[in-house]
Amino acid sequence: MDNILEIYTLGKFKVEYKGKILSPKEKFNSKPWLFFKYLITGKEKNLHSEVISNDLWPKKNIKKPKHAITNLVYRLRKQLNLFNNEESDQYIINSNGNCFFNQDANYWLDIEEFIAMSKKATKLKKNNPAQAIPLYKEALNLYQGDYLPEIPYQEWVIPYRNNYHWLFVEKVLEFINLLKKYERYREIESIAEKALNIESYEEELHSNYLDALIKLGEHAHARSHYNYANNLFSENLDISKSPKLNNIFTENNKKNNNFINDIQGELKNRNNIKGAFSCKNDIFRMIYELEERRNERRDKPVFISYLKFENENILKQNDYIVENIIEKELRKGDVITRWDFDKYLMLLKDMSRADVNKVIKRLKEEIKEELKINKEDIRYNFDSI
């Protein structure tokens, strides 16, 4: 986003321009930046200096609020003045004792983008659900945490934070219901898990997460989460047992009342996977450690490899496609996991070093062709463990 002031407020506050971070890296709220957060939060308002000073510092008696706010505007513009005065002055308008953030200026704000994309996804959901899916995904990826969490107790920010928080939960549930139509339970599991880290007391999120785990055959994980959720509600909300979670779990137990059969069914499901085994990071680590222990009794080495995307947005927007390609191209005995925001790790067995190189090159080429990206956008490397 060239020549645009980028403002990030979800999960962590950051202001960036042409790749340079203008805001302080630490959580310390200096007066100019607290003032900036106030202006972008109520950007639809044109407020008098006295109202602003009362909102920002309710316990202080500011004798000359107009002078105090004018001084803050000057200091804030100085913080933004890393390009030229004309550009930095356009963002904060201070006129006749009133002050506001200029919405006609050249800027990008993550919460605005989240709201706009969410509305568009909801509108598309009925008539073009396939087009709505990537929009929901992109919108929810923007929500990295609640709005301006570093200022938890300022009264002027709390209503906005709460509204955005529950809008996020609403859109997550909308998206999950859409994904259910396509039986994309692995994605539902991932989305619900992220949402539960932000809102841990929403019963609908827990029930959808539990349902996805059961549909995926992960019965032990489902049993563990069922107990965790009920303990959470009991300890914090004084609810002895969640009816929705209980119904889902009881119904599942009626269908699968023999736990050994559950385990065998889950293992059989895994064995029916045609391509590579995709797992979470902690499972990948366990398999890696197991392969390390087996090394001494093996004729051929096991290789660990990575595919790294130079532009993190490529993987963020296409992770489902990339993972499908890797799963399909690798073999049953190979193991893959999404690692960090920009790479996949792979464990490749029963191959020579030359064969591994060929396989990874082929993977890279297929992903490049499918996503229409340059070969420089993907890097890879590998070594024996």
Side-chain angles (χ1 to χ4, degrees), residues 303-321:
F303 291 89
I304 183 166
S305 175
Y306 69 75
L307 281 172
K308 183 177 186 302
F309 293 78
E310 294 301 297
N311 182 345
E312 63 185 78
N313 289 324
I314 293 174
L315 192 53
K316 187 187 290 184
Q317 295 168 9
N318 300 285
D319 56 347
Y320 186 73
I321 296 170

Side-chain angles (χ1 to χ4, degrees), residues 40 104 196 311 328 338:
I40 60 169
D104 295 325
L196 283 168
N311 182 345
K328 183 183 70 176
R338 171 77 179 272

Side-chain angles (χ1 to χ4, degrees), residues 231-326:
N231 287 337
L232 183 74
F233 292 145
S234 175
E235 290 173 10
N236 295 281
L237 301 180
D238 200 25
I239 299 172
S240 58
K241 191 168 281 190
S242 162
K244 285 188 178 179
L245 295 182
N246 194 47
N247 288 341
I248 292 171
F249 199 70
T250 303
E251 190 63 32
N252 177 62
N253 278 342
K254 285 179 184 176
K255 295 176 184 176
N256 302 282
N257 52 20
N258 187 325
F259 189 57
I260 294 297
N261 288 342
D262 288 351
I263 296 171
Q264 289 174 332
E266 185 172 343
L267 292 174
K268 192 175 290 184
N269 286 338
R270 290 299 186 191
N271 285 332
N272 286 335
I273 294 171
K274 294 181 180 178
F277 175 74
S278 175
C279 62
K280 294 185 177 182
N281 290 176
D282 54 347
I283 303 297
F284 188 89
R285 285 191 184 95
M286 291 170 64
I287 296 172
Y288 179 90
E289 289 172 8
L290 183 61
E291 295 299 342
E292 267 193 321
R293 294 183 183 189
R294 289 176 174 170
N295 251 346
E296 293 178 4
R297 305 192 303 273
R298 202 186 338 251
D299 294 332
K300 288 186 177 180
V302 173
F303 291 89
I304 183 166
S305 175
Y306 69 75
L307 281 172
K308 183 177 186 302
F309 293 78
E310 294 301 297
N311 182 345
E312 63 185 78
N313 289 324
I314 293 174
L315 192 53
K316 187 187 290 184
Q317 295 168 9
N318 300 285
D319 56 347
Y320 186 73
I321 296 170
V322 170
E323 187 158 323
N324 277 346
I325 292 172
I326 298 173

Side-chain angles (χ1 to χ4, degrees), residues 45-271:
K45 299 176 182 177
N46 182 353
L47 295 174
H48 193 271
S49 302
E50 191 171 337
V51 175
I52 297 173
S53 63
N54 285 338
D55 283 346
L56 287 176
W57 306 286
K59 295 180 181 179
K60 291 184 179 180
N61 183 18
I62 308 293
K63 292 182 179 179
K64 296 181 179 179
K66 185 176 178 181
H67 175 75
I69 298 305
T70 300
N71 183 48
L72 266 183
V73 170
Y74 172 77
R75 290 170 63 190
L76 180 57
R77 284 175 175 169
K78 212 170 179 184
Q79 295 283 327
L80 297 172
N81 192 17
L82 295 181
F83 14 111
N84 65 61
N85 287 328
E86 185 179 339
E87 285 184 341
S88 62
D89 288 354
Q90 70 174 313
Y91 294 101
I92 312 301
I93 307 299
N94 186 27
S95 176
N96 298 323
N98 283 28
C99 194
F100 60 94
F101 182 82
N102 184 11
Q103 295 184 78
D104 295 325
N106 201 18
Y107 76 97
W108 177 91
L109 178 59
D110 59 355
I111 188 61
E112 278 189 347
E113 189 74 4
F114 168 73
I115 293 169
M117 293 180 76
S118 297
K119 285 180 179 177
K120 192 173 180 183
T122 301
K123 194 174 180 180
L124 279 171
K125 184 182 60 167
K126 290 183 181 179
N127 299 323
N128 295 293
Q131 290 182 29
I133 286 174
L135 273 175
Y136 272 115
K137 195 170 184 179
E138 200 171 341
L140 297 178
N141 278 337
L142 282 171
Y143 204 98
Q144 295 299 308
D146 281 336
Y147 183 75
L148 297 178
E150 71 282 356
I151 45 172
Y153 307 118
Q154 291 274 348
E155 288 187 10
W156 50 267
V157 79
I158 291 171
Y160 290 91
R161 180 185 295 126
N162 290 342
N163 286 340
Y164 299 149
H165 176 96
W166 291 113
L167 177 63
F168 166 74
V169 173
E170 178 187 312
K171 295 307 163 186
V172 167
L173 293 173
E174 273 184 23
F175 190 29
I176 285 173
N177 287 330
L178 179 57
L179 290 173
K180 279 182 181 177
K181 295 179 181 179
Y182 297 89
E183 298 184 351
R184 289 164 70 162
Y185 294 108
R186 183 64 68 190
E187 287 177 82
I188 291 172
E189 178 200 14
S190 176
I191 291 159
E193 189 172 40
K194 175 191 171 181
L196 283 168
N197 286 328
I198 293 170
E199 175 46 58
S200 55
Y201 297 108
E202 175 55 53
E203 190 181 24
E204 281 287 336
L205 290 175
H206 284 284
S207 61
N208 278 294
Y209 184 59
L210 183 63
D211 182 57
L213 291 174
I214 291 169
K215 293 289 197 307
L216 290 165
E218 297 181 7
H219 301 292
H221 190 173
R223 186 183 298 272
S224 174
H225 187 78
Y226 172 76
N227 291 330
Y228 160 76
N230 275 322
N231 287 337
L232 183 74
F233 292 145
S234 175
E235 290 173 10
N236 295 281
L237 301 180
D238 200 25
I239 299 172
S240 58
K241 191 168 281 190
S242 162
K244 285 188 178 179
L245 295 182
N246 194 47
N247 288 341
I248 292 171
F249 199 70
T250 303
E251 190 63 32
N252 177 62
N253 278 342
K254 285 179 184 176
K255 295 176 184 176
N256 302 282
N257 52 20
N258 187 325
F259 189 57
I260 294 297
N261 288 342
D262 288 351
I263 296 171
Q264 289 174 332
E266 185 172 343
L267 292 174
K268 192 175 290 184
N269 286 338
R270 290 299 186 191
N271 285 332

